[in-house]
Amino acid sequence: MHPEQVIAEVFGLYEQHGTADYIGEAVSQIEHMSQAAQQAVAEGFDDEVVLAAFFHDIGHLCDQRAENMGGYGVVSHERLGADYLRRAGFSERLARLVEYHVQAKRYLTFSQPDYYAQLSEASRRTLAYQGGVMSAVEARAFEQDPLCAVSVRLRYWDEQAKQANVPLLDLEWLKAKARRLLTAQS
């Protein structure tokens, strides 16, 4: 697919569904995604990480027929979103960061016992659908992954990206980043 078609399709999901409630939180889907990306920008991360932060919950938007987590979004949204982005032509690194944001939550609830208490009610409820707290074996394997550290950062941004009345990032600016990455991939 041509980069312009991909951008129209992917960002079209935000235009179509972005104003929807972000699953038990005080922000919309697009406000949540924008705030996560803003934090990646503020910490100086590259375009792939910024877009992964923006796209991390796209799985809630790209398959409206998927199984629901008791009113808290789509089951396996991290895999649905990552696979959708792979098919669209985004890099494996970006797709894996989207996929790993749930693994990072499971990891943090294992490795930092106080992390669970910091989770929103919605994040606590979805943890059970997402495999629960990681085992020690799973955690050791996750720590060996080269994307572990940035996945953990993305997870923190995800948790913090729930503030009301934060201005959105310019979508044209994000589209330009996506265009550059997609053009470089092809």
Side-chain angles (χ1 to χ4, degrees):
M1 205 178 336
H2 188 273
E4 290 307 318
Q5 291 173 292
V6 171
I7 289 164
E9 181 181 314
V10 171
F11 284 87
L13 290 171
Y14 292 93
E15 291 158 6
Q16 186 177 0
H17 305 291
T19 57
D21 174 55
Y22 177 65
I23 313 139
E25 305 290 356
V27 294
S28 69
Q29 291 279 353
I30 198 158
E31 287 171 323
H32 174 65
M33 310 287 194
S34 177
Q35 288 177 36
Q38 286 172 9
Q39 292 181 54
V41 170
E43 290 188 27
F45 279 90
D46 62 65
D47 289 352
E48 278 184 320
V49 175
V50 170
L51 285 170
F54 185 74
F55 293 146
H56 78 274
D57 276 342
I58 200 167
H60 290 303
L61 308 179
C62 68
D63 190 348
Q64 299 292 305
R65 299 160 299 146
E67 183 184 350
N68 193 288
M69 292 186 288
Y72 289 98
V74 173
V75 172
S76 299
H77 75 282
E78 70 281 9
R79 277 192 293 284
L80 291 170
D83 289 345
Y84 173 79
L85 293 167
R86 283 181 185 104
R87 286 191 305 274
F90 285 98
S91 71
E92 182 61 21
R93 178 176 178 244
L94 187 152
R96 285 179 57 211
L97 287 169
V98 168
E99 192 164 3
Y100 285 3
H101 83 278
V102 167
Q103 292 297 85
K105 176 168 77 169
R106 295 183 61 230
Y107 171 75
L108 287 167
T109 55
F110 168 81
S111 65
Q112 299 178 13
D114 62 331
Y115 180 74
Y116 181 83
Q118 299 168 25
L119 292 175
S120 69
E121 182 60 26
S123 288
R124 288 182 194 161
R125 288 182 181 257
T126 57
L127 181 62
Y129 288 96
Q130 297 165 336
V133 176
M134 269 190 178
S135 69
V137 171
E138 290 173 312
R140 278 194 296 279
F142 188 62
E143 288 168 345
Q144 299 308 308
D145 192 293
L147 294 177
C148 178
V150 71
S151 297
V152 167
R153 288 303 315 139
L154 197 153
R155 184 69 220 175
Y156 282 117
W157 303 329
D158 183 2
E159 287 304 323
Q160 295 162 3
K162 299 171 182 176
Q163 307 301 312
N165 305 315
V166 174
L168 294 178
L169 277 175
D170 178 1
L171 289 185
E172 292 305 316
W173 182 76
L174 287 168
K175 287 177 184 179
K177 288 183 174 305
R179 191 174 292 112
R180 280 192 300 274
L181 289 178
L182 289 165
T183 301
Q185 289 283 48
S186 55

